[in-house]
Amino acid sequence: MKTLKIAALLLFFGIFILNSTGNCQETKPSFDENIKSIREHGYPKWFTDAKVGIFIHWGVYSVPSYAGRDKYAEWYLLGSIKGSKFNKNFEDKYYGENWDYKNYAPYLKGELFDANEWATLFKKAGAKYVILVSKHHDGFCMWQSKYAPNWNSVEVGLKRDVVGEVTTAVRDNGLKMGLYYSLPEWNNPIYRWVSDPPEKVHNYVETYMIPQFKELVSTYKPSLIFSDGDWDHNFSDWKSDELITWYYNLVGEDAVVNDRWGNNAPKNIGYKTPEYSAGLLNSEVPWTEVRGLGRSFGLNRNEPLEDYMTTTDLIHFLAKAVALGGGITINVGPAADGQIPLLQQERLLQLGEWLNINGEAIYASYPSDIKNIEVENVELNRIDPEIDFYWKRSSPGKPIEEDRFNAEWVGYIKPEHSETYNFSAIADDFIKLYIDDVCIYDSEKLGKLEKDTESYKNELQKSSVLLQKDKLVKLTAKFTENTHEAEAHVYWESKSTPKCIIPNSAVFTENNIKSANGFKAKYTSEMTTVCYTQTDNAKYAILLRYPNNNLINISVGNLKPGTKIKMLGCDKELPWTSKNGVTTVDLSSINISEIPSFYAWTLRVGE
């Protein structure tokens, strides 16, 4: 024992001497070493197998739970900071003048909040992980952060540790726990995102963000970190390499992060998180489509029912994402009282019922080595009063996809004056305008030219057209949307007409002023009809439409004689024939009462 004590003393003094002489100073890993470490960490199997996750947006913004249609309700504070009349009118009417966003916090009472009920629901929905917003851009913390005194859920409002309660309940139900964390804040006195000079972010990162992030993560040790709000600064500004490396070392091999850690990030850092899109067609790394059941993450009481996904929409959304190599993180937005709206609960439970039958084609699956999806061309025809749309994250209407669609408007316009009219447009992504089938405006071509050059001016000059008063002229607009933030607006102006959207009163569907007002519109896109996945044991064809004649062609490669094909949830072996790599399956032996699920049906091809 005496020998051990002496050895311990020698070791202690040896360390003391080394440290005091500077020969054993801690050296920080370099940026490149951190990035190498992050890449070597990779993506844990639990995440790549999971496919289905739940997002929870609950905070101070859940008290007003109010935004314009197709707007994010959780961004309410930013609207107030920018002097939104929409917010002010709402507050003046229901809360009184000079209302401040902080006044909402005491009303986040959570009297119906039960973390175990939430976690049980998510498990029944078939989710494998949960991501809770620990702090959104308003800076309000759902745990007791010493860096946000009197601006957290333990000290204000419901006075409970929401992060702690949800973390415990989620893990008790066998699911992985993740936390969303906003890097910046709109109203932090150290650095007010979007209003303070950008260089102020550095002090904010060092003195506030990093310490708070480490406080949160070291306390709850989430398996997943969903970072956000990164886009106005570089990866290096946020010290993202240090944060991610620290997090991975703390939590271990289960840990995973998303891809929102700043501009100019090294390639393939974190899993990709497309938002309100039609999914990624090609990705070198895992991805998950992130969206709400409606058009907002935080609850928006101003949202109409038609903006909510139906159960069919949700299941098809999942099947397509998985077939393309991704997954989904579907959001719920509880009310201020802590209850998840019943419609959202219903959608999740119906998803879970479908997954109970069809889950083997989803979990731990990967895209087919033959084909990802089958599609067919679809179109939507209608009369549009004007060409003035900001679809943002929405589709123009069913059955058109949110992304990768085209539109064509044809109408006859009647000018009020005999003079030169200038035509222009705003479009995301591209639009062309034609007068009597002659192209006068091409946004894609203009976008490739340097402004104020001769080439640019010559191209723009084409959009000036001499028109005669009351004489109808044909106007055609052709629009292309690729991904995200879709919008299309067509303007005219002249000496006597200020620049404006071409009004409905000046547009006719036919070359006749007695015809209806408006443009004939035709929208086209592809619609997925079959999704393919596979596991090590079988291949799967998920039918998004049940065939009228009970015969369905699927692309599963050349099958060996004796290969069994069954519909999941139904024990009958189905007859099939195969020719030129296409397999025709006969479903006629399945009676209506035996069809195992609604919304989509999965054929299992294997031994």
Side-chain angles (χ1 to χ4, degrees):
M1 181 64 72
K2 187 175 181 180
T3 305
L4 286 173
K5 286 183 178 178
I6 293 171
L9 284 170
L10 287 171
L11 178 62
F12 171 78
F13 284 114
I15 292 173
F16 176 79
I17 292 167
L18 282 171
N19 282 337
S20 62
T21 58
N23 293 330
C24 195
Q25 291 179 352
E26 180 185 355
T27 57
K28 264 190 174 182
S30 69
F31 178 87
D32 289 339
E33 288 173 331
N34 283 337
I35 296 304
K36 181 181 178 183
S37 173
I38 291 168
R39 286 185 173 142
E40 288 176 349
H41 178 88
Y43 304 92
K45 190 173 187 300
W46 76 259
F47 178 76
T48 56
D49 286 353
K51 309 304 180 187
V52 182
I54 300 291
F55 224 146
I56 311 168
H57 276 67
W58 193 41
V60 173
Y61 46 81
S62 304
V63 177
S65 56
Y66 189 66
R69 184 175 179 180
D70 204 32
K71 302 290 185 182
Y72 284 169
E74 68 278 11
W75 283 55
Y76 187 92
L77 172 59
L78 183 61
S80 296
I81 292 171
K82 291 185 172 182
S84 164
K85 290 183 179 180
F86 186 88
N87 288 20
K88 181 168 174 46
N89 292 340
F90 173 73
E91 290 172 350
D92 286 353
K93 184 174 182 179
Y94 296 105
Y95 294 93
E97 294 184 7
N98 302 315
W99 185 264
D100 187 82
Y101 183 76
K102 285 195 172 183
N103 295 339
Y104 286 120
Y107 295 95
L108 185 69
K109 295 181 178 179
E111 58 267 33
L112 299 180
F113 167 54
D114 186 327
N116 288 312
E117 284 186 3
W118 284 10
T120 301
L121 170 67
F122 303 149
K123 186 173 184 178
K124 287 181 178 178
K128 299 301 182 183
Y129 63 93
V130 174
I131 303 173
L132 171 70
V133 173
S134 66
K135 184 194 76 170
H136 206 264
H137 309 323
D138 61 0
F140 188 83
C141 299
M142 301 301 277
W143 81 99
Q144 189 170 21
S145 173
K146 66 182 180 182
Y147 299 96
N150 298 314
W151 195 235
N152 65 76
S153 65
V154 178
E155 298 177 47
V156 185
L158 67 167
K159 297 187 177 180
R160 292 164 67 177
D161 178 5
V162 176
V163 175
E165 291 186 38
V166 174
T167 296
T168 298
V170 164
R171 287 173 173 162
D172 285 350
N173 277 270
L175 309 180
K176 296 289 186 180
M177 184 65 195
L179 292 176
Y180 167 109
Y181 180 84
S182 173
L183 300 178
E185 298 174 12
W186 287 316
N187 226 13
N188 192 293
I190 302 174
Y191 168 63
R192 291 176 175 84
W193 181 33
V194 309
S195 56
D196 277 352
E199 59 269 17
K200 290 186 71 174
V201 76
H202 301 293
N203 183 43
Y204 167 85
V205 168
E206 292 288 353
T207 63
Y208 180 87
M209 190 209 81
I210 289 177
Q212 186 186 62
F213 178 88
K214 290 188 174 182
E215 172 195 66
L216 172 70
V217 174
S218 60
T219 302
Y220 303 102
K221 297 180 176 60
S223 297
L224 183 153
I225 292 289
F226 192 110
S227 174
D228 197 23
D230 61 302
W231 51 85
D232 282 341
H233 295 282
N234 287 328
F235 186 83
S236 58
D237 293 332
W238 297 118
K239 302 293 181 72
S240 295
D241 66 313
E242 295 178 23
L243 281 181
I244 298 172
T245 304
W246 173 85
Y247 164 62
Y248 279 171
N249 288 334
L250 176 72
V251 173
E253 61 182 17
D254 258 6
V256 65
V257 299
N258 70 333
D259 60 341
R260 304 184 185 191
W261 294 88
N263 296 324
N264 300 314
K267 190 177 180 182
N268 297 342
I269 298 295
Y271 71 91
K272 293 185 181 297
T273 53
E275 187 171 309
Y276 280 95
S277 77
L280 301 181
L281 296 180
N282 297 292
S283 177
E284 298 175 9
V285 299
W287 62 273
T288 179
E289 180 71 25
V290 182
R291 63 157 295 160
L293 286 162
R295 308 305 302 178
S296 173
F297 288 97
L299 178 63
N300 181 6
R301 294 178 294 164
N302 194 36
E303 193 166 40
L305 179 62
E306 63 195 71
D307 283 356
Y308 268 76
M309 299 177 92
T310 65
T311 305
T312 299
D313 293 336
L314 176 57
I315 289 169
H316 290 193
F317 174 67
L318 168 63
K320 183 178 175 183
V322 174
L324 293 174
I328 66 170
T329 306
I330 197 72
N331 180 79
V332 295
D337 62 12
Q339 184 182 64
I340 296 171
L342 297 181
L343 178 62
Q344 296 183 16
Q345 292 191 42
E346 180 188 53
R347 296 289 188 266
L348 293 185
L349 290 173
Q350 289 168 336
L351 171 64
E353 290 169 0
W354 186 84
L355 283 166
N356 282 339
I357 296 169
N358 300 276
E360 72 169 84
I362 301 295
Y363 303 122
S365 70
Y366 43 92
S368 167
D369 55 9
I370 304 296
K371 199 171 192 178
N372 296 111
I373 57 176
E374 304 274 3
V375 299
E376 66 176 28
N377 294 323
V378 292
E379 66 180 57
L380 169 65
N381 293 281
R382 68 187 187 200
I383 303 297
D384 285 339
E386 300 165 340
I387 305 174
D388 185 23
F389 297 99
Y390 182 30
W391 296 288
K392 202 173 183 180
R393 305 173 303 275
S394 299
S395 156
K398 292 183 179 180
I400 304 302
E401 293 268 10
E402 291 92 342
D403 292 333
R404 296 182 284 277
F405 67 84
N406 296 294
E408 180 177 283
W409 295 275
V410 179
Y412 293 84
I413 57 176
K414 187 180 78 167
E416 292 185 350
H417 311 280
S418 294
E419 55 194 22
T420 297
Y421 282 76
N422 296 316
F423 293 84
S424 60
I426 294 174
D428 187 349
D429 291 293
F430 308 115
I431 195 167
K432 292 182 179 181
L433 304 181
Y434 299 79
I435 292 291
D436 289 336
D437 301 323
V438 175
C439 183
I440 61 166
Y441 185 92
D442 184 339
S443 68
E444 184 176 17
K445 189 172 183 179
L446 279 168
K448 293 177 180 178
L449 298 174
E450 188 176 343
K451 284 191 175 183
D452 298 325
T453 61
E454 284 302 313
S455 297
Y456 184 87
K457 291 175 183 177
N458 290 337
E459 186 64 28
L460 202 58
Q461 183 62 33
K462 295 179 183 178
S463 63
S464 298
V465 182
L466 179 62
L467 301 180
Q468 299 299 315
K469 179 182 177 180
D470 294 336
K471 182 178 180 181
L472 295 181
V473 61
K474 181 182 176 184
L475 173 68
T476 303
K478 296 182 179 181
F479 170 78
T480 298
E481 161 63 8
N482 292 324
T483 62
H484 296 90
E485 301 298 317
E487 62 179 311
H489 316 272
V490 176
Y491 305 86
W492 69 354
E493 64 180 316
S494 70
K495 181 180 178 181
S496 307
T497 305
K499 184 176 180 179
C500 63
I501 296 292
I502 301 176
N504 174 250
S505 59
V507 183
F508 300 88
T509 57
E510 305 291 345
N511 193 7
N512 184 334
I513 60 172
K514 293 183 179 180
S515 62
N517 286 96
F519 291 92
K520 285 184 177 180
K522 180 172 76 172
Y523 299 87
T524 58
S525 73
E526 292 181 336
M527 183 176 72
T528 304
T529 56
V530 183
C531 298
Y532 297 100
T533 66
Q534 65 184 48
T535 63
D536 294 339
N537 300 317
K539 293 184 177 182
Y540 302 90
I542 305 173
L543 315 182
L544 306 187
R545 186 174 59 195
Y546 205 90
N548 291 329
N549 61 358
N550 287 315
L551 296 176
I552 183 70
N553 293 329
I554 57 176
S555 301
V556 288
N558 296 316
L559 302 183
K560 297 178 181 178
T563 299
K564 295 180 181 179
I565 299 181
K566 291 184 178 182
M567 182 176 288
L568 295 183
C570 181
D571 198 39
K572 289 184 176 179
E573 191 172 333
L574 301 173
W576 58 270
T577 58
S578 190
K579 185 177 181 181
N580 298 327
V582 176
T583 299
T584 302
V585 184
D586 186 351
L587 309 179
S588 59
S589 62
I590 302 176
N591 298 322
I592 292 178
S593 61
E594 296 175 315
I595 296 176
S597 60
F598 299 104
Y599 319 117
W601 307 266
T602 304
L603 300 181
R604 183 185 193 276
V605 181
E607 298 303 321

